[in-house]
Amino acid sequence: MSASTFEFGGVSVAPGQRTIVEMPAAQLYTQTQLNIPVHVVHGRQAGPVLLVCAAIHGDELNGVEIIRRVLRLAALKRMRGTLIAVPVVNVFGFIHKSRYLPDRRDLNRCFPGSETGSLGARMAWLFKTQIMDRATHAVDLHTGAIYRSNLPQIRANLASPDTAAMAEAFGVPVVLNSVLRDGTLREVAEAQDIPVITYEAGEALRFEEASIRAGVRGVTNVMRHLGMLTERRTSPVPVKPAVSSSSTWVRAEVDGVFRTLVGLGDRVRKDQVLGRISSPFTADEVDILSPCAGILVGRNNLPLVNEGEALFHIARFDEVKQVAQQLEAFNNNLLDEVPAADHDAPIAP
């Protein structure tokens, strides 16, 4: 069925066309207008409306590059439905290389927001009412916090069949069945029956090539799953993700200098030494032991730690050995893969 004109932000986008809509967000102290640029790619044929957004936390940059590469894909010329891509949601944090808004609020704890609340509430309200409410499905791109890396993983509410299907289609080996937190985009989207998954990979303020490639592949996999893109003639064997319904953080028992002995994606055993914390002035050191068997899905990268600080994030699985093997094969495949998006010609606006 042929698509009709897509109305967005006061702009009419004809079938087969694309545009950038500047969504007014706020003003700087200098009265300079600050906008959220939104890419709208509208297919010739009717279909789902997929929202892909990044940098709700302004220092989480991998998603910005993932969206840039997705927008360069020549396959979008033959796309069904509509892609709404927002490379930077938190433009304030992005400018200042910060996770937060100027008032130190976390934008991803401000949803659904309000028209008359704090800056965070107003920006969340704008994003929800003007952007998210137009979508039928959503992919939210994140990284770990500053000094903390996440293994490429999907976090989703698997109680929703449509969300679970998207999580599996994305195609990374690890899926965390994650509860919906108050004030998050995921919570509000699910409440409106918009299936949404969160992709977590890498560290804030860093580009990580493997995480970016996995993200580009994952977004296009979701688009194929939704029928927006046609299946490739020679598709790789799909990854059957392992689902973890529980995980635990291992925290520092003392202050000091932290040295890690394990890497992201490593299989760990109960009571295995994961790292050590030593004094910078004496020979004293404390072993950090794993409280359970599992896969390391998150890790602190800063050598200087305080007591109680999160150091390792371990996800539990029924078949830990099998998950570790899947991760090794997945990572090797990513390293060998040519980033196709950089070789595709960009589509003219």
Side-chain angles (χ1 to χ4, degrees), residues 50 52 66-67 69-76 79 83 139 141 166 169-171 197 212-232 235-236 337 340-341 344:
L50 176 64
V52 182
I66 290 169
I67 291 177
R69 295 189 190 183
V70 168
L71 289 170
R72 288 175 57 89
L73 291 172
L76 297 187
M79 185 186 74
L83 173 65
V139 178
L141 305 173
M166 285 176 60
F170 195 92
I197 59 175
I212 292 167
R213 293 187 192 184
V216 174
R217 182 196 290 179
V219 171
T220 55
N221 284 346
V222 169
M223 294 178 75
R224 291 189 180 95
H225 164 72
L226 297 176
M228 299 176 72
L229 298 178
T230 57
E231 294 290 338
R232 291 186 293 185
S235 298
E337 183 182 81
D344 287 338

Side-chain angles (χ1 to χ4, degrees), residues 83-154:
L83 173 65
I84 301 175
V86 189
V88 180
V89 178
N90 182 358
V91 286
F92 278 106
F94 186 74
I95 289 170
H96 296 291
K97 307 184 185 111
S98 169
R99 177 183 180 90
Y100 302 107
L101 292 164
D103 59 1
R104 297 297 296 171
R105 280 183 168 84
D106 183 334
L107 181 56
N108 205 31
R109 298 294 182 271
C110 293
F111 288 94
S114 71
E115 290 185 275
T116 58
S118 65
L119 173 61
R122 293 175 190 228
M123 288 191 67
W125 179 257
L126 170 72
F127 186 83
K128 176 195 174 299
T129 58
Q130 301 300 311
I131 301 174
M132 192 188 79
D133 285 356
R134 302 300 311 279
T136 60
H137 303 77
V139 178
D140 187 18
L141 305 173
H142 286 258
T143 75
I146 192 167
Y147 307 132
R148 189 178 297 164
S149 292
N150 281 334
L151 181 79
Q153 62 195 259
I154 288 293

Side-chain angles (χ1 to χ4, degrees), residues 26 39 43 68 104 138 153 164 185 188 203 234 243 261 266 272 297 302 311 323:
H39 294 255
R68 186 191 74 83
R104 297 297 296 171
Q153 62 195 259
L185 181 149
V188 173
E203 179 185 2
T234 55
V243 175
L261 302 177
D266 283 358
Q272 178 179 336
V297 296
L302 190 65
L311 301 180
V323 178

Side-chain angles (χ1 to χ4, degrees), residues 218-270:
V219 171
T220 55
N221 284 346
V222 169
M223 294 178 75
R224 291 189 180 95
H225 164 72
L226 297 176
M228 299 176 72
L229 298 178
T230 57
E231 294 290 338
R232 291 186 293 185
R233 293 178 182 175
T234 55
S235 298
V237 176
V239 174
K240 179 70 174 177
V243 175
S244 171
S245 296
S246 65
S247 64
T248 186
W249 278 98
V250 182
R251 298 184 178 274
E253 297 180 6
V254 295
D255 310 282
V257 179
F258 165 61
R259 289 174 293 128
T260 183
L261 302 177
V262 290
L264 287 178
D266 283 358
R267 174 190 179 189
V268 299
R269 303 179 306 277
K270 189 177 187 303

